[in-house]
Amino acid sequence: EWIVAGILGALKRFPELRDSQREQRWAYQFTQDLEGSTVLFLGYGSIAKATQRRLEPFEVSFIKVARTARDDVHSFDELLELLPKADIVINLLPYTPQTHGLFSAAHVAAMKQGAVYVNAGRGKTVDQAALVESIKARHIRLVTDVSDPEPLPEGHPLWSLPEVFITPH
């Protein structure tokens, strides 16, 4: 449910609208629809399957990626080719020596312009510096409840960057 809420909040710009509300400023913002989007799962286990069931009523399409290819699931080796097709990327990777930094700067750069990256896995599975730079360049948006380091220290750029929505894990 947190993943679905985070996606909807990002697409409907709830964090920005809340900021405007606190400033007592009526600030219309264009928002996107989830319907018709392509969602890529990075890690396809029980949480991904449950999230997929919750997203299906929104008429989205799915790309599933896991360590090992199987019926309807791609392998990590195909990830760079698949990322430009995804409007939303959901990282559900556990942290292991094999997943450390698996989502590299090249993967971040391969994401579609304006895509939403949802990290509900572990912070150390993604190149955090590349993520920050991509957000600064307004290439992607971030919804996360994990980080590297965790918790984020005071003054870390993710706290204040636009297009970022953070909740504690």
Side-chain angles (χ1 to χ4, degrees):
E1 291 175 358
W2 177 89
I3 294 168
V4 175
I7 291 168
L8 289 170
L11 294 177
K12 298 303 179 187
R13 304 227 171 248
F14 286 171
E16 294 94 330
L17 292 169
R18 177 61 184 215
D19 291 345
S20 296
Q21 176 186 340
R22 288 188 174 174
E23 296 169 3
Q24 299 181 26
R25 186 172 45 91
W26 192 269
Y28 173 81
Q29 296 203 16
F30 172 78
T31 63
Q32 294 174 273
D33 290 331
L34 179 54
E35 181 181 16
S37 296
T38 299
V39 176
L40 184 147
F41 288 106
L42 180 57
Y44 195 72
S46 61
I47 295 172
K49 290 173 186 171
T51 303
Q52 180 176 335
R53 286 192 304 274
R54 286 161 176 80
L55 288 170
E56 284 171 345
F58 291 96
E59 300 177 15
V60 299
S61 57
F62 300 99
I63 300 170
K64 305 161 200 166
V65 180
R67 185 175 355 130
T68 308
R70 52 192 187 270
D71 290 341
D72 199 30
V73 179
H74 301 271
S75 74
F76 286 159
D77 296 339
E78 300 173 78
L79 187 55
L80 277 173
E81 299 164 23
L82 297 169
L83 284 167
K85 299 175 184 177
D87 301 293
I88 299 157
V89 175
I90 303 172
N91 179 344
L92 293 167
L93 295 174
Y95 181 69
T96 67
Q98 294 78 27
T99 62
H100 181 86
L102 180 84
F103 203 79
S104 68
H107 292 106
V108 173
M111 289 179 66
K112 182 187 282 190
Q113 174 69 38
V116 177
Y117 179 79
V118 180
N119 195 349
R122 293 292 175 255
K124 291 185 178 194
T125 62
V126 63
D127 181 326
Q128 188 94 1
L131 197 62
V132 168
E133 289 308 311
S134 186
I135 295 164
K136 283 181 179 178
R138 295 193 175 253
H139 178 74
I140 64 168
R141 294 180 279 164
L142 172 66
V143 175
T144 190
D145 71 344
V146 296
S147 61
D148 181 24
E150 190 173 309
L152 280 177
E154 188 175 320
H156 192 283
L158 287 180
W159 284 122
S160 57
L161 281 172
E163 310 292 352
V164 175
F165 185 54
I166 301 171
T167 64
H169 182 82

